[in-house]
Amino acid sequence: MNQSEQLFQRAKAVIPGGVNSPVRAFKNVDGDPFFVKSAKGSRIVDADDRSLIDYIGTWGPAILGHAPQIVLDAVHQAVDRGLSYGTPTPVEVDMAEKIVELVPSVEKVRMVSSGTEATMSAIRLARGYTVRNMIIKFIGCYHGHVDSLLVAAGSGALTFGKPDSAGVPREFTQLTLTLPYNDKEAVTQAFKKYGSQIAAVILEPYPANAGLYFPKDGFLEHLRQITKQYDSLLIFDEVMTGFRVAPGGVQELTGLVPDLTCMGKVIGGGLPVGAFGGKSEIMDKLSPLGPVYQAGTLSGNPVAMAAGLAQLQELQRTDAYAHMEAMGAQLEDGIRSALKKHQKDYTIHRVGSMFCLFFSDEPVFDLDSAMKANKAEFKKFFWSMLEEGVYMAPSPYETGFISAAHSSNDIEETIQAVHKAFDKTFN
Ligand SMILES: *Cc1c(COP(=O)(O)O)cnc(C)c1O
């Protein structure tokens, strides 16, 4: 047994499934995970000293690549000043000012410790502010493991969902309407029927948790217009896209201004950080000013704030976004040529440093169409890539991430690996 296999044996004895978050278990590719002992730049090194080009970037946060010196320095300095005080600290003010500067819709922001906490708190705030109970979410959008958001579609567009996890009481999901993404008509019907009871619509403005797909023309505009019309709130969950597709997220790219925004991943620089923010009038309903309770012992932790702030400042200071766009374009072109060689007209989606190859030649615009991709081909592709030293997400329903540390040589090496992997996958 190699080191990873030994570690997985030990892990399975004491951790459910051997992992602390399910996607890490490699269930979608019918295999066992490897263990990582270190990471730097575009590469991770596993417990058996195998070096891999990494396109997961710890599922989004590592936008500057792994362990960037500027973030490490900030963390080392913060650690020397103490780990946590449970009092206000200067760096959390710097962080809040930075977020308000970068994210168009945010006038005030509250820090939390994960994306899940951000969406959970934003939903509570929306309900408290509007004094309404119902929310709309979209099938295929992931918002963390919040009870009322772990809801699968009901049997019809206007029926309430059912729990998507054991342990979530049916009653908890009775206030969540789940609709197909990109279906304007379903949204209109839902508001016609329940409009005065709907506190908020929450969505990933670019869904990136069932592969990566995009809103059709007018979909986000429709959501903005109809929520305004019915005095409901529009919540953008930009935990994945925030500071990633642009400094100000999808709202910067589209010019659409949500009422509340959820953030996470990139703002922590690899440490556990989330945040939610929006208009002052809404945010001021939070305790201690308002009646909506929300709190956290480690919220705004000074080490985590230092890491995240250093990462955001470095993104602003450098040409990281332009570089990632160039690397993304190079990779996309390479994959397209490799597909062409095999006469495959498969769907590739990309925005800047985020990309997804669907093993399907049909357009992908919601969960149903994403699920049509060929899982068997994906599995072969995934393992072949790993053999060639490239680590792609171990699931056909995940987005790939390029970092500012990926070089043109990394991309070229990856394209060579794609050619070899396609030869095996399609023959
Ligand atoms: C990752 C993610 C979350 C959950 O964040 P955690 O930090 O894992 O709790 C929520 N929403 C979106 C869009 C995400 O990608």
Side-chain angles (χ1 to χ4, degrees):
M1 273 204 289
N2 68 24
Q3 293 293 324
S4 278
E5 286 162 351
Q6 289 177 37
L7 283 161
F8 197 44
Q9 287 300 326
R10 282 173 52 202
K12 282 192 289 189
V14 287
I15 303 171
V19 293
N20 280 311
S21 196
V23 70
R24 299 178 197 167
F26 279 33
K27 284 260 185 230
N28 270 314
V29 288
D30 295 333
D32 289 341
F34 56 84
F35 283 66
V36 170
K37 62 179 186 187
S38 69
K40 189 79 186 169
S42 61
R43 288 178 181 266
I44 52 179
V45 178
D46 79 0
D48 297 285
D49 292 319
R50 185 170 53 157
S51 169
L52 302 164
I53 303 179
D54 176 33
Y55 287 97
I56 299 181
T58 187
W59 302 97
I63 194 167
L64 295 173
H66 291 285
Q69 197 57 47
I70 199 109
V71 175
L72 296 186
D73 289 346
V75 168
H76 290 146
Q77 285 164 19
V79 164
D80 285 341
R81 292 189 293 266
L83 299 176
S84 174
Y85 323 123
T87 65
T89 68
V91 65
E92 68 195 321
V93 186
D94 295 336
M95 176 61 115
E97 286 174 349
K98 183 55 69 187
I99 292 171
V100 168
E101 174 197 331
L102 293 175
V103 186
S105 67
V106 175
E107 295 173 0
K108 286 192 179 175
V109 61
R110 176 67 59 88
M111 304 307 301
V112 292
S113 299
S114 70
T116 294
E117 261 187 274
T119 57
M120 178 185 80
S121 306
I123 294 281
R124 185 182 307 143
L125 176 58
R127 285 174 164 156
Y129 175 78
T130 57
V131 201
R132 295 175 180 182
N133 289 336
M134 284 173 49
I135 52 173
I136 289 179
K137 88 171 277 285
F138 294 96
I139 302 160
C141 282
Y142 177 67
H143 305 292
H145 61 99
V146 179
D147 279 335
S148 64
L149 296 172
L150 282 178
V151 182
S155 51
L158 287 182
T159 57
F160 286 89
K162 43 188 192 305
D164 204 12
S165 162
V168 177
R170 197 174 186 90
E171 288 79 357
F172 284 24
T173 64
Q174 297 286 295
L175 296 169
T176 307
L177 265 175
T178 50
L179 304 178
Y181 197 83
N182 268 323
D183 190 338
K184 267 163 67 169
E185 188 49 33
V187 175
T188 304
Q189 291 308 321
F191 270 94
K192 270 196 183 140
K193 188 151 181 205
Y194 299 109
S196 63
Q197 302 172 58
I198 296 171
V201 174
I202 185 169
L203 79 159
E204 295 179 77
Y206 289 177
N209 281 288
L212 171 69
Y213 47 92
F214 302 110
K216 289 181 177 170
D217 278 352
F219 181 64
L220 296 180
E221 288 78 0
H222 183 61
L223 297 181
R224 181 63 284 181
Q225 183 273 323
I226 203 162
T227 45
K228 228 175 213 150
Q229 183 187 334
Y230 284 90
D231 293 320
S232 305
L233 300 187
L234 180 62
I235 306 174
F236 275 10
D237 179 353
E238 298 226 45
V239 170
M240 195 80 109
T241 51
F243 315 97
R244 164 69 69 176
V245 298
V250 175
Q251 54 198 273
E252 179 183 327
L253 292 184
T254 60
L256 278 163
V257 182
D259 299 296
L260 291 173
T261 299
C262 304
M263 293 157 273
K265 297 194 169 123
V266 168
I267 43 167
L271 272 71
V273 179
F276 63 105
K279 294 188 181 120
S280 298
E281 185 203 338
I282 303 171
M283 293 301 288
D284 285 347
K285 293 286 181 216
L286 285 174
S287 50
L289 285 181
V292 180
Y293 189 70
Q294 193 279 330
T297 302
L298 292 175
S299 294
N301 172 270
V303 180
M305 293 300 98
L309 186 62
Q311 173 143 287
L312 295 184
Q313 287 168 338
E314 185 67 358
L315 281 168
Q316 239 182 335
R317 197 185 63 75
T318 62
D319 64 349
Y321 292 100
H323 175 75
M324 290 187 287
E325 168 59 33
M327 296 302 101
Q330 187 186 341
L331 182 61
E332 180 181 346
D333 287 352
I335 298 174
R336 285 190 194 282
S337 316
L339 283 170
K340 211 167 186 180
K341 205 172 75 186
H342 294 274
Q343 278 136 30
K344 300 283 184 196
D345 193 16
Y346 283 0
T347 300
I348 300 179
H349 286 168
R350 182 178 73 82
V351 53
S353 59
M354 296 169 74
F355 65 93
C356 184
L357 162 64
F358 293 96
F359 285 79
S360 160
D361 49 19
E362 294 188 38
V364 177
F365 53 86
D366 62 7
L367 183 65
D368 270 359
S369 47
M371 300 274 284
K372 284 184 188 150
N374 186 320
K375 263 194 95 169
E377 284 182 356
F378 172 82
K379 231 184 303 177
K380 273 195 210 164
F381 173 74
F382 169 80
W383 288 109
S384 308
M385 289 298 282
L386 202 54
E387 237 169 73
E388 297 299 325
V390 179
Y391 180 36
M392 298 276 186
S395 160
Y397 310 117
E398 298 289 348
T399 297
F401 298 98
I402 296 165
S403 80
H406 284 73
S407 67
S408 198
N409 284 342
D410 289 329
I411 304 293
E412 194 43 48
E413 209 176 301
T414 303
I415 293 168
Q416 294 312 317
V418 168
H419 276 274
K420 288 189 189 159
F422 279 174
D423 286 343
K424 287 187 208 163
T425 303
F426 298 131
N427 289 327

